[in-house]
Structures are given as structure tokens and as C-alpha cells.
Amino acid sequence: EIVMTQSPATLSVSPGERATLSCRASQSVSSNLAWYQQKPGQAPRLLIYDASTWATGIPARFSGSGSGTEFTLTISSLQSEDFAVYYCQQYNIWPYTFGQGTKLEIK
Amino acid sequence: QVQLVESGGGLVKPGGSLRLSCAASGFRFSDYYMSWIRQAPGKGLEWLSYISGGGHFTIQADSVKGRFTISRDSAKNSLYLQMNTLISEDTAVYYCARGQGLADSWGQGTLVTVSS
């Protein structure tokens, strides 16, 4: 099973600033990497797939990069609605696995 | 628009069974793989199983293999998860999701609690 490790566990950032979230895979997943956003009491929402492709309706301030084992999600200018938990997920090999999440909180 | 609505969750005793349902609308159901993903309270996400559009191919995670069975009924636009021999570690919110690999739409989830 591929283990996905996200860092940091919690990130405190002020609105309007940039946030950078990291995800590392225990072995290469090529570009088969997705990012999801989850707010309290809600289901996750797909943000990015194929490491860098926006899902439908996702604002351009979200961007993904990386390949192989190292990936990054960047939110260029944080809005109030962006404070949530973010998960990375690999879909290169079954079982598909998620990271443990990064909680993005208001500083 | 795509809508997925889960039902069937609840409280069940260890060793018991439960069948979850997911009603799909807003898209051509038979064209899509469908999945079940769960989230234990305060924990991360676990992809449990998926099924092909025609229902002929399924796969399950080791944690539920032999206990959980995914199925679908395209005439009813519905996805199912039959859960047998439930254990306390199965306590979670269960989400149905559209896709295999990528979950591009999710239901609101249904809570399953396994406790005596």
C-alpha cells in the first residue's frame, strides 16, 4: 500500500496570504494525484486531479504541482472560505490512499 | 446537477449487518464507475470499494474484503454496500462517490455506528 504523508498537519495563515501544502508518496504515483477540500460537516470536494488540473468550478487561486513522490497544493491568496482540511490522494495503484490531511486555519 | 444521496446508516451491534444505498441523479448512471469511501470520526478517508459502470468489475480494500459487497442497479440508478460481520472499527461516515480513482462528486454521507 502506498502511504501518503502530508505536511504540515496544521498551517496557520492570514487571509490574503499564500498557503503551501505538501504531500509525499512512499513510492512514485506518477501524476495520479488528487487534492480535496473538506469543511466541517461536509463531504470532501475535488479540487485538483492529475496533480495539476483544476476540477470543474475550482478557482484559479488553487494550483497543484509535482510528480512522482512530491506534490504541492498552493492557494495564492487565501479567502475566508478556504479555511478547511485538505487531503491528497493517489490513484496510481489500488488501494487508493489518502494523506492524513492538513488543517488550514486562520492566523 | 449531479446528486448522490446515501441512506441506510444507523446503530448496529458488533457482528451485525447493514445495507447502505445511494440514489444517484443528474447524470447517466451506467456510464460511470461508482465508489464507497468512509471516514471514521475525527479521522482521515479510506477508499473501500468501487464498481464498474456495468457492474461486472468490483474491487474491495483488504480491510473489508469478504465482509462488504458493492453492487448497483442501473434501472434504479442506485449503488449499494452490503456490510456484514461489522466490527467497531467500521464505525464511520460512509460516502458514495462518482468515479474510480477520482471522486468528482460525493454524497452527504451516512453514519454507521457499530456498538453493543
Side-chain angles (χ1 to χ4, degrees):
Chain A
E1 174 174 310
I2 297 176
V3 177
M4 307 300 292
T5 303
Q6 293 184 242
S7 61
T10 303
L11 183 61
S12 300
V13 183
S14 300
E17 292 190 341
R18 181 188 192 96
T20 302
L21 289 67
S22 297
C23 175
R24 173 177 292 179
S26 61
Q27 65 187 77
S28 176
V29 299
S30 186
S31 294
N32 297 312
L33 189 285
W35 289 94
Y36 298 85
Q37 176 194 67
Q38 187 177 33
K39 297 180 180 179
Q42 296 185 17
R45 176 176 72 143
L46 178 65
L47 298 176
I48 300 284
Y49 64 95
D50 292 349
S52 61
T53 302
W54 288 293
T56 302
I58 301 304
R61 64 180 182 272
F62 291 90
S63 63
S65 64
S67 66
T69 62
E70 301 283 343
F71 300 90
T72 300
L73 175 70
T74 301
I75 312 171
S76 60
S77 178
L78 280 163
Q79 307 296 305
S80 57
E81 62 266 29
D82 299 336
F83 292 94
V85 178
Y86 292 83
Y87 294 96
C88 63
Q89 176 239 327
Q90 68 83 19
Y91 49 96
N92 194 53
I93 295 175
W94 181 258
Y96 306 140
T97 47
F98 294 85
Q100 80 283 10
T102 290
K103 182 179 181 181
L104 183 56
E105 63 177 29
I106 300 175
K107 186 174 182 180
Chain B
Q1 74 282 17
V2 175
Q3 191 168 14
L4 300 169
V5 180
E6 301 95 335
S7 60
L11 176 64
V12 60
K13 289 181 168 53
S17 298
L18 213 53
R19 188 197 197 203
L20 305 183
S21 299
C22 172
S25 60
F27 64 101
R28 188 169 170 138
F29 183 66
S30 58
D31 283 354
Y32 288 85
Y33 279 72
M34 296 293 295
S35 294
W36 287 100
I37 299 166
R38 72 182 177 185
Q39 186 170 35
K43 302 292 186 182
L45 297 156
E46 182 183 13
W47 203 303
L48 296 178
S49 184
Y50 67 80
I51 185 169
S52 61
H56 302 297
F57 179 79
T58 66
I59 196 166
Q60 295 80 35
D62 285 348
S63 59
V64 300
K65 195 174 292 183
R67 300 189 302 121
F68 290 12
T69 302
I70 190 171
S71 63
R72 65 192 296 161
D73 184 338
S74 288
K76 295 182 178 180
N77 283 354
S78 292
L79 177 72
Y80 304 103
L81 186 67
Q82 177 66 44
M83 305 187 295
N84 298 329
T85 320
L86 284 158
I87 58 179
S88 58
E89 289 81 1
D90 295 322
T91 294
V93 174
Y94 286 73
Y95 295 101
C96 98
R98 188 177 77 169
Q100 166 260 74
L102 290 175
D104 66 4
S105 297
W106 298 60
Q108 84 288 351
T110 188
L111 176 63
V112 173
T113 303
V114 183
S115 175
S116 54

